[in-house]
Amino acid sequence: MSANPQDDAERIRLKRLAKLQGAASASSSTTPAASTSASPAPSPTPPPPKPKPEPERKSSAVPKRPAEPANPAPSPVPLKKRTPAVATPVHLDLPAWEDETISNVLNVTLKKEVAEKTGYEVVWLKHLAEELQGEGLPLELNADIADRTLIARLELNPQAMSDDLEYLPVLASLPPQQTVFEYLVHSWKRLNAARSALLKKNVVPLEQQQALAVLDKLRDLIISYTGLTLQEPDMFPQPTSKPLGPAELVPSLMSLSTLSGPYLALSTSHSLLDASEIELFLQDLVRRFEPDNELDSVLGPVVQQLCFHPSIQEGFANDGWRSVISGLEALLSMKPIAAMITRLPQWNPDVPAPQFEKASLLGPLLGLGVFEREWPNIAKTYFSNHDTRPPGELSSATASLRGTLKTLQSSLFQIFNSLVRASPDSREAVLQYFARAVNINRKRAGMQVDPATVSSDCFMMNMQIILLMFCEPFMDATYSKMDRIDTTYYAHSPRIDLNDETRINATNDEAEQWRKEHATPASPPNFITEIFYLTLAASHIGQQKIVNTVEELARQYDEIRRHLDTLNADQSWRGTPFQARTEAAINAAKAQQDAIGAAELAYQVQLNEPELIFRTISFVNFVSTWIIRFVDPRKQHPNPPIELPLPKEVPTSFRILPEYLIEDVIEYHLYIVRQSPNSLELSGKNEMLIWCLTFLTSTWYIKNPFLKAKIVEVLFYGTYSWGEHRSVLTTLLNTHQMALKHLMPALMNFYIEVEQTGASSQFYDKFNSRRNIAHIFKVIWNNQAHRDALKNEAAVNSERFVRFVNLMINDVTYLLDESLTDLAKIHELQTEMKDRATFEAKPLQYRREREGMLRTLERHTSTYVQLGSNTVDLLKIFTGETKAPFMVPEIVDRLAAMLDYNLDALVGPRCQELKVSNPEKYKFNPKQLLSDILQVYLNLSDQGEFARAVAADERSYRKELFEQAAGIARRKMLKSEDEIEKLRLFVVKVEETKATLQAEEDLGDVPDEFLDPLMYTLMRDPVTLPSSRVVVDRSTIKSHLLSDTKDPFNRMPLSMEDVIPNVELKQRIDAFLAERRNKNTAYDKPEEEVVNMDVSKE
């Protein structure tokens, strides 16, 4: 078999033709013997009888076919397989063939008469002919003088002047605008045609090989001079009005794109090589120049002109970029060319970040995209007037742009993948390229970044997507390749610059010490390790920062919307001299709002692209699992899952990791759970939950308090439903075993921890975190497993639980005081402004100050009101589940005082000050707040310590407040009759407790047997419980049975009819009370007259 696949294919085709011809001849014969002799009889004959089967003939005994007459008559033969005849090879007159072939290929001749016959289309090399004659050589072209022949042709200049009249027709017939490159390419094509023609002939094999050797020598010569003219276009005479050298090959490369466009049409019209020829042409160039390491100088300039083609600068406005990519793919299909590209100086230039994407070979392609900052026409063309355009039109525009982006990014990945696979050196060059792009753009990680000092968002986004594609092979569902990642990479690889990088929980000195201890690797890092860490770094300065840009656009959009609402709401400017200016301001604001909205939509085309979301979720899942395995003592997570909480000792190898590894996981969780929570349904929910629980139960692993707070924020948004988005974590939080066991104590612990963050804004930061925690508590509260976890925490970690309760009371005290005070101020301002005539009569400066004060109050009052209401709600559900922690001495008095104070604010004389216009605007629901506060009283109404604390509150407690609250609760149906009765009995107990406290002051200690064992008040009507035989006050057990029909001391069933009056004890108590000096107490009235909660008397 020949070494050339083309030769093999040609021979196979010829054999098939021979077989078909043999079959055709067989079908035209008249007798079975017609395969060896032809009958000239033209007349048809009747079909012969069926012949007997002939013995099988060996393939080696194929008889020679005799010569046929010039016009043989076809004769029918029976259809029978015959071995095709093999024609006798013909001899080739090699010198004559050589002269003819070289003349045809190079389009030259040494003989004037030959040129004259063709009208000098075949070029007469007169001077070469004279030289040969002078040397005594024949005027025959051959391989030995092929070099001289080609040089003689290339040196001809159609623009040159000559005194040789005989030679003028030659110069005049030369194509005036044909470049050397064009001539050589046409010669190369004619050479290929000559080779095909030779192979089709049945030439004696030895002579054929000699002829092929001539063609190969000629091919080598043509390709050599082609490479030379690509390097030095001015070596031979050239037209002056055409691009020369590398620019001549670029159109052929760009013509390979299957799509059409203005640049492609232009390229195709000037294309010298079509798609079927370009690959063979490049192969010949590689075969000739790669062994001598000359590819860099031959094809390097071609690659450079292709990669910096002007059409790329127009972005997606035309398809020129597609043509550039097609040309690159053709070049990269050959590994030597791919390896050569990464050796070029422009591959990875040492330039600042803003110039990198313009100066590096693949930078212009990586800079393509849809983001408004780099490509403003995209937003303007596709998304302007988005508020008035049909949704289907916007969806179609988004789908079209996403399709284009996917094509671009897929092609770019294939380009980089080809470079990686070309050679070890080219793979290293690709890694160095990614590393430089990351390191010179570290500024992008900052809070305030000047876009002019860093690479563009499009460049960073495309690079990150390519890296994510490289990660896909090792991100399998079982994490089987995770252990191939070198965990000491940062110690021994300088590829990623970590100077001054914040660490998770270590100082830079500690990180440097660790680096020195692990500086010598066991083996060089593998490709998986390199790509993994580069992707981590690229994500930090890529997508995460682009998300921040979009959020800033959304903030600006909302600001302009509020500004427009304010301008449109105040119509006082109409009909005034300010109308024209105000209308111009409104129109300008609308135009700015539309531009910002269009830019935001353009960003979301890329950021919300489903494949990108899927890839990023997969990568974040992988990273979060890798980090958890990093801290897992068994190093096996998730098979089996990690055990929480983590050990107190934090591994140094974890502490020194860059903080952005943790930050980016949290930030992306936060982004995806807000922007596209449904994307987590397929994959990501479990990993997100385990991640959050791991570091919430072991907060000492992370130093940055803001990152820990954002973990809680992730859980908050994961349990929050709004608009089209439904909560994605609620079900999981109520079913996942790890959540059922650890979520409640973890949230309580962080509620405590966030009190002191060390930040200057800690006072306000804590309220944001606690608001989120309160919401999560409410979401999971109906699950008994979580409530059991709360009880267990209160019992096992009572000291910590008491701290939690104390902070919760502090928050309620502060938030309600602030919000109710602000509401009173708003009420005052609204009342003042309601009298428009009086208010307008005030000085302008005064009115502006009052209006500004109102706007300021409105901004933060709603936050305080909502936070306060949420915390009261939290207090309500917790006191309903566990009471003991609220009864400790350091808590109960403060709790009672807080509740009494706010009850006074809601139903006391000051309540009129809380009436504001549009209370929903401030999230103020006084009925719900009153109901929650009353519920706290009811939850703790069976606790003697609580009744004593309320009774001891001399600042705010008055029984009249409860009477007023009960009346409102009845009218507004906030509480049932049983609950109101239970509240009445509690107030009775409070009044009796006051009397008891007074009695203790008057008469000293009250005998213990006279005190109720539950409420610690002097019993008015003692009764004995039948099963436990404990003596309690009748009102106490009556209040208990309203919510629990069991004996509180032995949990046996009990009803009021079962209790036994203790007459003897009652007589002794009455005698004790008769001796008191103070007669004006609750004990001096019947129990039903102590508190009046009859609505009919309201």
Side-chain angles (χ1 to χ4, degrees):
M1 180 176 289
S2 170
N4 192 325
Q6 187 177 3
D7 298 347
D8 296 336
E10 187 65 27
R11 274 194 292 277
I12 292 171
R13 189 178 74 83
L14 291 172
K15 287 182 180 180
R16 288 176 177 169
L17 285 173
K19 184 179 288 187
L20 289 172
Q21 290 168 354
S25 299
S27 63
S28 62
S29 301
T30 57
T31 64
S35 60
T36 56
S37 62
S39 171
S43 59
T45 58
K50 187 175 181 181
K52 295 180 181 180
E54 295 181 358
E56 185 177 353
R57 287 186 282 183
K58 294 182 180 179
S59 59
S60 60
V62 179
K64 289 186 179 180
R65 184 170 183 168
E68 295 181 351
N71 295 303
S75 302
V77 296
L79 296 176
K80 186 175 182 181
K81 276 191 176 182
R82 298 288 186 181
T83 303
V86 177
T88 303
V90 297
H91 286 280
L92 186 67
D93 183 354
L94 193 60
W97 174 88
E98 196 170 355
D99 177 62
E100 179 185 0
T101 300
I102 294 177
S103 176
N104 289 336
V105 169
L106 299 182
N107 195 35
V108 296
T109 182
L110 297 174
K111 301 169 184 176
K112 179 180 179 182
E113 61 274 16
V114 174
E116 287 177 337
K117 287 181 182 178
T118 62
Y120 289 100
E121 287 186 6
V122 176
V123 178
W124 174 37
L125 301 178
K126 176 184 178 182
H127 300 302
L128 177 60
E130 291 174 348
E131 289 177 12
L132 294 174
Q133 285 177 333
E135 297 170 10
L137 297 175
L139 296 182
E140 300 290 339
L141 295 172
N142 57 64
D144 293 335
I145 63 168
D147 193 358
R148 296 172 66 183
T149 305
L150 183 55
I151 291 175
R153 170 63 183 87
L154 294 178
E155 288 178 338
L156 294 179
N157 184 1
Q159 309 299 327
M161 303 299 292
S162 175
D163 295 333
D164 187 350
L165 297 179
E166 187 181 33
Y167 202 56
L168 283 178
V170 175
L171 296 177
S173 299
L174 291 174
Q177 293 299 314
Q178 186 181 57
T179 67
V180 171
F181 181 79
E182 289 172 340
Y183 167 75
L184 290 170
V185 169
H186 289 312
S187 298
W188 178 84
K189 289 184 178 182
R190 291 191 290 266
L191 176 71
N192 291 334
R195 180 184 178 86
S196 297
L198 175 64
L199 293 174
K200 290 178 183 178
K201 295 178 180 179
N202 187 15
V203 180
V204 173
L206 179 60
E207 296 173 355
Q208 186 183 64
Q209 291 302 316
Q210 292 173 339
L212 288 174
V214 171
L215 292 177
D216 288 343
K217 183 174 182 180
L218 196 57
R219 178 185 303 277
D220 187 64
L221 193 63
I222 292 171
I223 290 297
S224 295
Y225 279 95
T226 301
L228 193 60
T229 194
L230 287 173
Q231 297 177 72
E232 300 181 39
D234 297 329
M235 176 171 285
F236 298 104
Q238 297 270 30
T240 58
S241 59
K242 295 181 72 172
L244 302 174
E248 298 182 77
L249 181 54
V250 170
S252 296
L253 292 168
M254 293 184 65
S255 69
L256 300 176
S257 175
T258 56
L259 297 177
S260 61
Y263 278 96
L264 182 59
L266 182 64
S267 300
T268 304
S269 63
H270 292 81
S271 174
L272 291 172
L273 298 158
D274 59 31
S276 63
E277 297 167 333
I278 191 71
E279 183 177 359
L280 293 174
F281 185 74
L282 292 175
Q283 286 176 355
D284 283 349
L285 286 172
V286 169
R287 190 181 300 112
R288 168 63 185 84
F289 293 104
E290 197 263 338
D292 298 330
N293 294 320
E294 292 184 89
L295 272 182
D296 302 45
S297 55
V298 172
L299 287 177
V302 175
V303 172
Q304 183 178 346
Q305 291 201 20
L306 180 66
C307 290
F308 296 129
H309 197 273
S311 63
I312 303 177
Q313 298 175 8
E314 299 187 19
F316 295 155
N318 60 62
D319 290 324
W321 63 272
R322 297 181 191 268
S323 303
V324 172
I325 283 179
S326 297
L328 273 176
E329 289 173 340
L331 290 168
L332 293 170
S333 64
M334 276 150 274
K335 289 186 177 182
I337 298 180
M340 174 273 296
I341 288 176
T342 59
R343 295 194 299 266
L344 297 176
Q346 296 85 1
W347 166 250
N348 191 10
D350 186 7
V351 296
Q355 286 80 48
F356 188 71
E357 66 185 275
K358 300 178 179 67
S360 62
L361 285 176
L362 295 180
L365 286 173
L366 285 168
L368 293 172
V370 296
F371 296 154
E372 188 268 346
R373 184 176 291 160
E374 295 86 40
W375 304 98
N377 285 336
I378 293 288
K380 186 176 180 180
T381 303
Y382 287 86
F383 300 113
S384 59
N385 302 318
H386 55 278
D387 285 338
T388 58
R389 291 166 67 178
E393 189 175 326
L394 295 177
S395 299
S396 176
T398 299
S400 174
L401 288 172
R402 283 179 177 169
T404 303
L405 283 171
K406 286 167 65 176
T407 300
L408 168 70
Q409 289 153 3
S410 176
S411 298
L412 285 173
F413 170 72
Q414 293 301 330
I415 288 171
F416 276 97
N417 194 34
S418 297
L419 294 170
V420 165
R421 296 176 181 277
S423 72
D425 288 342
S426 64
R427 182 178 69 179
E428 174 62 20
V430 169
L431 295 175
Q432 289 176 357
Y433 181 86
F434 288 142
R436 185 186 295 276
V438 167
N439 291 330
I440 64 178
N441 280 288
R442 290 180 65 197
K443 283 184 181 178
R444 287 179 58 91
M447 294 294 292
Q448 300 292 332
V449 184
D450 181 0
T453 63
V454 294
S455 296
S456 68
D457 287 344
C458 289
F459 177 87
M460 299 309 302
M461 187 78 258
N462 286 327
M463 188 178 76
Q464 181 182 341
I465 290 172
I466 291 166
L467 286 167
L468 287 173
M469 290 182 178
F470 273 119
C471 290
E472 285 181 348
F474 61 82
M475 294 195 306
D476 58 300
T478 60
Y479 306 107
S480 62
K481 299 179 181 178
M482 182 174 285
D483 288 335
R484 295 182 61 185
I485 296 174
D486 183 358
T487 55
T488 61
Y489 177 81
Y490 288 126
H492 54 73
S493 175
R495 197 180 299 280
I496 299 173
D497 185 4
L498 294 181
N499 289 333
D500 302 323
E501 194 69 58
T502 304
R503 309 301 174 130
I504 291 176
N505 202 350
T507 64
N508 285 336
D509 290 341
E510 290 173 319
E512 178 61 18
Q513 179 62 32
W514 177 86
R515 187 195 66 78
K516 291 178 179 177
E517 293 171 358
H518 299 82
T520 304
S523 60
N526 55 44
F527 187 69
I528 289 177
T529 296
E530 297 273 18
I531 286 294
F532 175 71
Y533 285 99
L534 283 169
T535 308
L536 288 173
S539 299
H540 181 55
I541 60 176
Q543 186 174 9
Q544 297 300 333
K545 300 308 168 186
I546 298 171
V547 166
N548 295 345
T549 301
V550 178
E551 290 176 348
E552 175 61 22
L553 287 173
R555 186 189 63 77
Q556 294 176 14
Y557 189 90
D558 287 341
E559 280 186 359
I560 295 174
R561 179 182 53 77
R562 286 194 296 269
H563 178 59
L564 283 172
D565 290 344
T566 302
L567 290 175
N568 290 322
D570 181 13
Q571 297 291 310
S572 59
W573 47 268
R574 292 193 178 278
T576 69
F578 302 105
Q579 178 170 342
R581 188 170 67 182
T582 306
E583 288 177 343
I586 290 175
N587 291 334
K590 286 181 177 179
Q592 187 180 7
Q593 184 184 37
D594 180 69
I596 292 174
E600 190 176 356
L601 289 172
Y603 271 99
Q604 290 173 355
V605 167
Q606 176 67 87
L607 293 177
N608 292 344
E609 196 273 314
E611 281 192 23
L612 173 61
I613 289 176
F614 176 77
R615 284 195 181 100
T616 311
I617 288 176
S618 299
F619 182 71
V620 171
N621 289 346
F622 187 88
V623 175
S624 64
T625 304
W626 178 78
I627 290 176
I628 293 175
R629 183 178 290 188
F630 209 109
V631 297
D632 181 7
R634 296 174 300 188
K635 305 296 182 185
Q636 294 180 339
H637 177 80
N639 298 306
I642 193 168
E643 292 184 2
L644 300 177
L646 297 173
K648 287 293 182 181
E649 183 68 26
V650 184
T652 304
S653 56
F654 172 79
R655 292 194 299 111
I656 60 87
L657 289 175
E659 188 181 75
Y660 67 71
L661 269 64
I662 298 281
E663 178 186 355
D664 291 349
V665 171
I666 297 171
E667 289 286 2
Y668 192 76
H669 280 162
L670 195 55
Y671 170 76
I672 200 66
V673 84
R674 286 185 302 178
Q675 298 298 324
S676 184
N678 295 337
S679 303
L680 294 166
E681 293 293 348
L682 203 61
S683 171
K685 289 192 299 183
N686 279 317
E687 290 83 355
M688 180 187 290
L689 176 61
I690 294 172
W691 167 267
C692 293
L693 289 173
T694 298
F695 293 106
L696 276 182
T697 57
S698 310
T699 54
W700 58 91
Y701 272 65
I702 302 175
K703 184 178 181 180
N704 190 333
F706 298 105
L707 294 183
K708 292 183 275 191
K710 285 187 175 182
I711 294 177
V712 174
E713 196 174 355
V714 169
L715 291 176
F716 165 74
Y717 280 106
T719 57
Y720 192 67
S721 299
W722 74 99
E724 300 176 350
H725 304 305
R726 62 185 186 86
S727 64
V728 293
L729 290 182
T730 300
T731 302
L732 203 58
L733 290 179
N734 285 301
T735 55
H736 198 286
Q737 288 303 311
M738 194 176 287
L740 295 176
K741 182 178 180 181
H742 296 291
L743 180 60
M744 184 67 76
L747 291 175
M748 288 171 49
N749 182 65
F750 191 69
Y751 195 102
I752 297 168
E753 183 178 327
V754 79
E755 179 73 14
Q756 299 290 336
T757 64
S760 58
S761 57
Q762 68 179 15
F763 182 78
Y764 300 100
D765 295 336
K766 67 181 181 181
F767 290 125
N768 289 330
S769 292
R770 288 172 178 171
R771 176 201 60 189
N772 297 336
I773 291 172
H775 172 80
I776 299 168
F777 276 143
K778 285 192 288 186
V779 167
I780 64 175
W781 190 248
N782 290 331
N783 189 315
Q784 188 59 46
H786 285 301
R787 289 155 72 169
D788 291 343
L790 172 72
K791 292 178 183 177
N792 181 69
E793 189 69 12
V796 175
N797 296 302
S798 57
E799 183 178 348
R800 184 166 66 178
F801 193 84
V802 168
R803 284 188 63 198
F804 167 70
V805 170
N806 179 62
L807 293 171
M808 193 159 48
I809 293 172
N810 287 348
D811 289 351
V812 173
T813 302
Y814 173 79
L815 292 168
L816 287 186
D817 183 58
E818 286 291 313
S819 57
L820 296 181
T821 301
D822 286 351
L823 284 168
K825 292 178 182 177
I826 291 173
H827 168 77
E828 177 189 346
L829 290 169
Q830 288 179 341
T831 303
E832 180 183 3
M833 295 178 184
K834 194 172 182 180
D835 185 354
R836 297 300 301 175
T838 305
F839 186 69
E840 292 292 339
K842 299 285 185 181
L844 178 62
Q845 184 64 28
Y846 174 84
R847 281 181 286 144
R848 285 181 176 175
E849 288 177 357
R850 301 295 277 178
E851 289 169 349
M853 185 185 300
L854 178 60
R855 285 194 295 269
T856 301
L857 286 169
E858 288 177 340
R859 273 198 299 270
H860 62 74
T861 298
S862 61
T863 302
Y864 281 150
V865 170
Q866 191 174 21
L867 286 171
S869 300
N870 287 342
T871 313
V872 171
D873 188 40
L874 202 61
L875 197 62
K876 175 187 72 176
I877 62 176
F878 278 20
T879 54
E881 192 64 32
T882 181
K883 300 175 175 58
F886 295 91
M887 295 301 106
V888 297
E890 60 268 31
I891 295 295
V892 66
D893 290 334
R894 295 179 58 248
L895 174 61
M898 180 272 294
L899 292 171
D900 293 343
Y901 178 82
N902 287 295
L903 185 66
D904 181 27
L906 289 172
V907 302
R910 296 181 297 159
C911 68
Q912 296 300 318
E913 299 175 1
L914 303 180
K915 290 186 176 180
V916 294
S917 302
N918 192 15
E920 297 81 7
K921 181 178 181 179
Y922 313 105
K923 309 291 192 302
F924 182 48
N925 187 344
K927 291 187 291 185
Q928 186 60 51
L929 183 59
L930 175 61
S931 175
D932 289 347
I933 289 176
L934 291 179
Q935 191 61 50
V936 176
Y937 281 114
L938 291 171
N939 291 341
L940 301 176
S941 62
D942 59 351
Q943 302 296 306
E945 295 93 335
F946 182 61
R948 182 181 290 269
V950 174
D953 178 18
E954 297 180 355
R955 183 186 71 161
S956 302
Y957 170 74
R958 298 190 310 279
K959 70 174 183 179
E960 291 79 13
L961 294 175
F962 286 89
E963 292 172 348
Q964 180 69 16
I968 295 173
R970 270 203 186 93
R971 290 197 304 274
K972 303 297 184 182
M973 293 183 291
L974 303 180
K975 299 296 174 187
S976 66
E977 285 299 323
D978 284 346
E979 288 174 320
I980 292 174
E981 173 61 14
K982 187 175 181 180
L983 183 65
R984 186 189 71 81
L985 293 172
F986 168 70
V987 179
V988 168
K989 283 301 173 187
V990 171
E991 290 295 310
E992 291 176 350
T993 301
K994 287 181 66 175
T996 301
L997 294 173
Q998 187 64 48
E1000 289 177 346
E1001 291 178 5
D1002 293 343
L1003 300 176
D1005 290 340
V1006 177
D1008 288 345
E1009 62 180 324
F1010 293 175
L1011 295 176
D1012 184 282
L1014 292 177
M1015 303 300 292
Y1016 302 103
T1017 57
L1018 189 66
M1019 289 185 287
R1020 180 193 296 268
D1021 184 5
V1023 295
T1024 303
L1025 305 183
S1027 58
S1028 65
R1029 309 306 297 174
V1030 176
V1031 177
V1032 297
D1033 194 38
R1034 182 182 295 274
S1035 62
T1036 298
I1037 194 63
K1038 181 179 180 182
S1039 175
H1040 170 79
L1041 291 176
L1042 287 173
S1043 55
D1044 188 353
T1045 58
K1046 290 184 174 60
D1047 187 321
F1049 300 97
N1050 63 6
R1051 308 304 298 159
M1052 297 298 292
L1054 179 67
S1055 66
M1056 280 304 297
E1057 290 76 16
D1058 299 331
V1059 301
I1060 305 166
N1062 193 325
V1063 178
E1064 185 269 334
L1065 182 58
K1066 185 177 187 309
Q1067 291 173 348
R1068 291 167 56 199
I1069 293 172
D1070 289 343
F1072 172 79
L1073 291 174
E1075 297 174 0
R1076 289 181 303 112
R1077 290 188 294 272
N1078 184 1
K1079 299 293 183 179
N1080 188 25
T1081 69
Y1083 289 113
D1084 301 308
K1085 305 175 186 176
E1087 180 258 337
E1088 60 273 8
E1089 295 180 9
V1090 174
V1091 181
N1092 177 23
M1093 292 187 176
D1094 187 354
V1095 72
S1096 63
K1097 297 180 182 179
E1098 291 293 326

